[in-house]
């Protein structure tokens, strides 16, 4: 795949041209923070952002999504949104999360709804310029990414180094001005990568991330779960902002004519009351401490075997920022376990 | 639709079935015989379906009929939530949505061949077990001794009364039944189902034991089986969980790292013993 160097002005021209052709979702300022939103002009794009309020997940797995329509007593009809779009400005840790979701939604039972959106998405990732307040991607090995994107941008001062990762990205790259990236540009990019590999680490995990499944093997009955959960509101904010949380509910909505309706899926969260409650009121995982533990076990023990051993926490730090009682920080929980239980 | 999706089926899309027969079994349980409109339905005892009522939602229900009985398939549904209440209103000829059969954790129909079988059922637990019981009775020569323990809360809630009576009359089935609450019309044993375990004539050590009942029942049954040194590999438990997707995505039915919908609903006890969330 090719690597180009393109000036920021030329890149803005490319983005504006892209907006004219397709739907572009890009990172923009939202008050004094940042978020992904439909982009109307390249001048609103903020590739110097630290972290977005919500991960780009919502464009691949929307908060609510119509799976099918139905007639009462009649047939069900699959519904798909079939529109190409560009996700512009995805940070490496969020890209890793998308790569993980791609694997999870394809394996065992292929989810056509997720994959339809995914196939329609063109992802332009970008390396981090400014670390966010709570990022710990370096600890999780997700500070840089080597795949999944169609194009990867790296800010090397006055210009971007742009590399395609797929044939789709290669085609897009051909439409960009710029020159073949020279040695100096590639060296500058290497420097950004080296810096980020260590520098996106506001919370430092005291072990190699790959050790976490083994750490959790001996931590199930540790007091930290109950201690933390004492102040948990079970609000599900940690689930909501997480780029790797993908649990969902399914619910029916009957139309005003009472003859037709739709079945939707909507985000759900394992911290919320009733997540495991069946008719008859039996709740299989009820205590908040159990639910709190389940989230972190899912990230670092239950999901990893499904995704080739990767930890399903990418170190974005959003849950740290979103948690009102300040108990959600995975690193502080894991470090506490390491302090008490040791490594090995 | 892109080529890759066009080749894949929508895993969430129910197929239509027709209610061929529907009747009340008692105040809370309703019996349904369904036939898939496209005619296709192959299943193994222990598997479940997602029953879909358009406008209300879906509920996971284990199939109660045996695949050896070829005329559609049967469900018994307790009226307890939104979907199951709606199912109770369906009459013969009505259309219903079905996804499945689902669940890779099925009854061990091959492994149990040649062995003695003990079914321990609590209340509605008879419903899933009936699928394997009738499968065994329809392939009677393939299996050893068959013992069925049935415990029901009260006399009025006994299920498949005629069928159970017919099992009791068979010389090749040992049926032991109890009800929790005494009743004038009931002359049999009174008390919980674990009370029947000492009365099992089959040598439990070599038997395959299949357990299904309310969550509270499992621990007591397992404690009792422990006294008879039943190997944990030979005990199979049929578990219930909240399920939405039924295909290993939505996360609701997770029991620690396993999915009740994918890895179950029938589990080998030795596979569950390390999972604190199982019981």
């Amino acid at each position: 795949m090719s690597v180009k160097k393109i000036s920021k002005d030329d890149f803005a021209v490319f983005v504006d041209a892209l907006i004219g052709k397709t739907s572009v979702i890009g990172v923009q300022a939202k008050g004094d923070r940042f978020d992904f939103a439909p982009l109307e002009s390249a001048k609103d794009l903020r590739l110097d952002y630290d972290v977005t309020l919500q991960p780009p997940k919502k464009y691949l797995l929307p908060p609510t999504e119509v799976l099918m329509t139905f007639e009462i007593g009649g047939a069900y009809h699959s519904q798909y949104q079939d529109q190409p779009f560009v996700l512009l400005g995805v940070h490496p840790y969020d890209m890793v999360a998308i790569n993980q979701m791609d694997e999870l939604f394809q394996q065992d039972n292929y989810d056509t709804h997720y994959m339809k959106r995914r196939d329609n998405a063109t992802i332009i990732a970008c390396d981090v310029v400014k670390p966010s307040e709570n990022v710990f991607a370096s600890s999780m090995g997700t500070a840089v990414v080597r795949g999944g994107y169609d194009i990867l941008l790296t800010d090397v001062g006055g210009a971007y180094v742009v590399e395609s990762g797929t044939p789709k990205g290669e085609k897009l790259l051909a439409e960009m001005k710029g020159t073949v990236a020279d040695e100096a540009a590639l060296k500058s990019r290497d420097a950004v990568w080296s810096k980020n590999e260590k520098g996106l680490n506001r919370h430092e995990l005291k072990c190699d991330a790959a050790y976490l499944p083994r750490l959790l093997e001996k931590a199930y009955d540790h007091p930290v779960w109950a201690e933390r959960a004492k102040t948990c509101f079970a609000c599900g904010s940690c689930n909501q902002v997480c780029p790797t949380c993908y649990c969902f509910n399914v619910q029916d909505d009957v139309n005003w004519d009472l003859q037709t309706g739709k079945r939707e899926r909507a985000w759900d969260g394992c911290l919320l009351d009733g997540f495991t409650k069946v008719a008859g009121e039996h709740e299989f995982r009820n205590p908040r401490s159990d639910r709190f533990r389940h989230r972190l076990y899912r990230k670092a023990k239950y999901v990893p075997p499904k995704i080739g051993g990767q930890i399903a926490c990418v170190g974005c730090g959003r849950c740290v920022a979103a948690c009102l009682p300040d108990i959600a920080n995975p690193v502080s929980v894991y470090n506490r376990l390491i302090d008490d239980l040791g490594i090995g | 639709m892109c080529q890759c999706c066009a080749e894949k089926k929508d895993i969430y899309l129910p197929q239509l079935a027709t209610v061929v027969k529907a009747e009340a079994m008692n105040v809370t349980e309703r019996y349904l015989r369904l036939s898939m409109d496209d005619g296709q339905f192959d299943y193994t005892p222990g598997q479940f379906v997602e029953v879909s009522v358009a406008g209300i939602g879906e509920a996971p229900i284990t199939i109660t009929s045996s695949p050896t009985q070829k005329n559609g398939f049967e469900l018994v549904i307790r009226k307890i939530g939104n979907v199951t209440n709606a199912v109770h209103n369906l009459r013969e000829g009505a259309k219903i949505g079905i996804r499945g059969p689902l669940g890779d954790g099925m009854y061990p129909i091959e492994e149990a061949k040649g062995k003695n079988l003990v079914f321990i059922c609590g209340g509605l637990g008879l419903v899933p077990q009936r699928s394997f019981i009738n499968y065994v009775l329809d392939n009677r020569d393939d299996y050893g001794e068959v013992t069925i323990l049935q415990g029901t809360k009260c006399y009025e809630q006994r299920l498949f009364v005629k069928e159970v009576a017919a099992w009791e009359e068979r010389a090749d089935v040992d049926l032991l039944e109890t009800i929790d609450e005494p009743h004038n019309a009931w002359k049999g044993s009174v008390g919980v189902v674990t009370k029947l375990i000492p009365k099992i004539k089959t040598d439990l050590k070599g038997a395959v034991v299949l357990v299904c009942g309310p969550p509270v029942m499992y621990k007591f049954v397992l404690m009792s089986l422990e006294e008879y040194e039943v190997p944990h590999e030979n005990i199979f438990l049929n578990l219930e969980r909240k399920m939405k997707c039924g295909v290993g995505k939505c996360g609701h039915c997770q029991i620690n790292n396993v999915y009740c919908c994918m890895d179950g609903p029938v589990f080998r006890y030795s596979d569950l013993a390390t999972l604190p969330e199982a019981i």
Side-chain angles (χ1 to χ4, degrees):
Chain A
M1 296 288 157
S2 326
V3 190
K4 270 187 179 175
K5 184 180 170 185
I6 181 171
S7 74
K8 289 188 174 175
D9 287 345
D10 283 344
F11 185 73
V13 171
F14 164 79
V15 170
D16 278 329
L18 200 59
I19 291 169
K21 282 187 289 190
T22 186
S23 163
V24 179
I25 311 295
V27 179
Q28 297 161 61
K30 187 172 184 177
D32 59 355
R33 312 275 188 90
F34 300 94
D35 212 3
F36 283 92
L39 193 66
E40 286 171 12
S41 164
K43 67 178 190 304
D44 298 330
L45 184 66
R46 290 293 298 274
L47 294 180
D48 61 337
Y49 76 101
D50 54 358
V51 65
T52 54
L53 289 164
Q54 285 281 343
K57 174 178 81 176
K58 63 180 175 179
Y59 294 98
L60 300 169
L61 183 71
T64 60
E65 168 182 25
V66 177
L67 296 176
M68 67 195 77
T69 55
F70 53 74
E71 297 121 44
I72 304 290
Y76 299 81
H77 311 283
S78 299
Q79 297 296 321
Y80 294 96
Q81 204 179 11
D82 194 4
Q83 280 160 350
F85 64 100
V86 175
L87 267 178
L88 177 47
V90 174
H91 272 169
Y93 48 80
D94 280 337
M95 192 66 240
V96 172
I98 290 170
N99 292 343
Q100 293 184 357
M101 285 221 297
D102 291 352
E103 173 63 31
L104 291 161
F105 276 107
Q106 285 182 84
Q107 68 182 208
D108 300 329
N109 291 300
Y110 189 95
D111 189 309
T112 48
H113 296 273
Y114 175 88
M115 288 309 296
K116 183 87 199 155
R117 284 175 196 278
R118 183 64 185 89
D119 290 338
N120 268 317
T122 299
I123 298 183
I124 302 181
C126 73
D127 279 309
V128 179
V129 174
K130 184 185 168 204
S132 72
E133 199 181 330
N134 288 305
V135 70
F136 55 96
S138 300
S139 283
M140 306 311 293
T142 56
V144 294
V145 66
R146 290 284 186 264
Y149 51 78
D150 296 293
I151 282 181
L152 175 67
L153 298 174
T154 312
D155 189 331
V156 290
Y160 293 116
V161 172
V162 190
E163 178 164 354
S164 60
T166 60
K168 192 156 68 172
E170 184 75 18
K171 226 173 121 189
L172 217 47
L173 195 68
E175 296 170 20
M176 284 186 207
K177 281 190 181 170
T179 53
V180 174
D182 54 24
E183 192 115 331
L186 293 179
K187 267 196 173 159
S188 306
R189 184 172 71 162
D190 283 344
V192 171
W193 286 347
S194 304
K195 188 177 145 213
N196 284 352
E197 267 167 358
K198 294 211 163 52
L200 305 185
N201 221 14
R202 297 294 169 87
H203 306 283
E204 196 171 344
L205 188 64
K206 291 181 181 174
C207 70
D208 194 290
Y211 176 68
L212 291 173
R214 277 167 58 210
L215 176 70
L216 292 188
E217 245 164 58
K218 48 189 182 177
Y220 200 79
D221 296 318
H222 194 277
V224 71
W225 313 115
E227 284 167 21
R228 294 274 171 134
K230 250 187 229 167
T231 52
C232 177
F233 293 130
C235 66
S237 295
C238 52
N239 296 131
Q240 201 199 356
V241 299
C242 180
T244 67
C245 272
Y246 63 95
C247 287
F248 57 85
N249 197 1
V250 181
Q251 54 208 22
D252 283 13
D253 185 15
V254 179
N255 294 332
W256 175 239
D257 62 9
L258 302 182
Q259 300 299 315
T260 57
K262 53 186 185 287
R263 179 163 290 166
E264 297 173 317
R265 71 165 151 205
W267 288 357
D268 206 344
C270 60
L271 264 296
L272 297 172
D273 285 340
F275 185 76
T276 59
K277 188 153 83 181
V278 289
E281 299 299 298
H282 189 86
E283 188 156 4
F284 287 94
R285 189 184 310 110
N286 187 18
R288 282 184 193 181
S289 53
D290 290 5
R291 289 186 250 159
F292 182 85
R293 176 178 58 200
H294 184 74
R295 181 178 78 96
L296 290 173
Y297 266 67
R298 215 176 127 91
K299 301 299 174 203
K301 188 164 192 295
Y302 301 156
V303 175
K306 294 173 181 287
I307 49 174
Q310 295 175 76
I311 303 301
C313 167
V314 294
C316 70
R318 291 186 181 94
C319 62
V320 185
C323 182
L324 204 56
D326 195 17
I327 54 172
N329 186 341
V331 175
S332 73
V333 173
Y334 297 142
N335 282 349
R336 163 81 189 279
L337 294 172
I338 292 164
D339 288 345
D340 287 2
L341 305 170
I343 297 177
Chain B
M1 183 179 284
C2 65
Q3 203 49 41
C4 68
C5 293
E7 291 160 9
K8 313 265 187 190
K9 280 195 292 186
D10 182 351
I11 51 177
Y12 304 113
L13 192 73
Q15 300 302 312
L16 285 186
T18 303
V19 179
V20 179
K21 191 175 169 194
E23 60 186 31
M25 301 188 87
N26 55 42
V27 183
T28 50
E29 270 84 66
R30 191 167 182 82
Y31 164 93
L32 299 175
R33 172 177 284 281
L34 305 176
S35 174
M36 297 305 293
D37 287 4
D38 67 5
Q40 291 174 345
F41 200 78
D42 298 314
Y43 62 97
T44 301
Q47 287 194 291
F48 70 97
V49 289
E50 283 280 1
V51 173
S52 173
V53 181
I56 308 292
E58 290 185 306
I61 308 286
T62 301
I63 301 161
T64 186
S65 51
S66 160
T68 47
Q69 297 158 359
K70 285 289 175 205
N71 184 17
F73 63 100
E74 300 166 332
L75 305 175
V76 169
I77 297 180
R78 175 171 287 179
K79 190 177 182 169
I80 194 159
N82 297 335
V83 175
T84 51
N85 267 286
V87 168
H88 272 239
N89 295 331
L90 295 176
R91 298 289 171 257
E92 286 171 8
K95 295 291 179 193
I96 191 169
I98 294 290
R99 279 196 298 134
L102 303 169
D104 291 338
M106 311 162 199
Y107 282 113
I109 54 171
E110 291 302 323
E111 184 184 329
K113 279 183 180 164
K115 294 183 180 155
N116 298 334
L117 304 182
V118 177
F119 294 89
I120 303 178
C121 322
L124 213 48
L126 175 65
V127 172
Q129 302 263 64
R130 177 175 169 262
S131 178
F132 192 27
I133 292 171
N134 280 325
Y135 183 90
V136 169
L137 297 182
D138 287 341
N139 297 282
R140 192 63 192 90
D141 296 344
D142 291 346
Y143 299 91
E145 296 168 12
V146 172
T147 307
I148 303 169
L149 272 53
Q150 171 65 34
T152 314
K153 198 171 173 190
C154 61
Y155 182 75
E156 289 81 4
Q157 284 188 343
R158 293 170 69 234
L159 297 169
F160 293 108
V161 176
K162 278 186 197 161
E163 198 169 323
V164 170
W167 292 343
E168 191 167 18
E169 278 179 21
R170 291 177 67 133
D172 58 359
V173 172
D174 191 14
L175 187 122
L176 304 165
E177 194 177 357
T178 183
I179 59 174
D180 293 3
E181 299 161 6
H183 189 276
N184 289 338
W186 181 250
K187 305 280 180 270
S189 164
V190 173
V192 293
V193 74
T194 42
K195 262 186 64 176
L196 300 175
I197 292 174
K199 297 182 185 167
I200 297 170
K201 293 181 200 122
T202 294
D203 178 16
L204 274 166
K205 263 188 206 172
V208 172
V209 183
L210 309 118
V211 190
C212 185
V216 64
M217 187 186 96
Y218 290 96
K219 201 181 264 180
F220 293 105
V221 168
L222 290 167
M223 280 160 62
S224 184
L225 292 176
E226 199 71 356
E227 289 174 33
Y228 296 90
E229 297 171 20
V230 185
H232 293 178
E233 294 75 27
N234 294 352
I235 303 173
F236 292 84
L237 312 174
N238 196 330
L239 300 187
E240 171 200 19
R241 283 297 181 278
K242 181 186 177 93
M243 286 181 195
K244 280 291 175 180
C245 74
V247 289
K249 307 289 183 204
C250 81
H252 287 91
C253 72
Q254 242 189 310
I255 303 168
N256 296 110
N257 60 320
V258 308
Y259 285 79
C260 194
C261 69
M262 295 282 287
D263 306 305
V266 179
F267 291 92
R268 197 187 291 272
Y269 177 48
S270 50
D271 292 338
L272 279 186
T274 56
L275 305 182
E277 289 185 343
I279 303 293

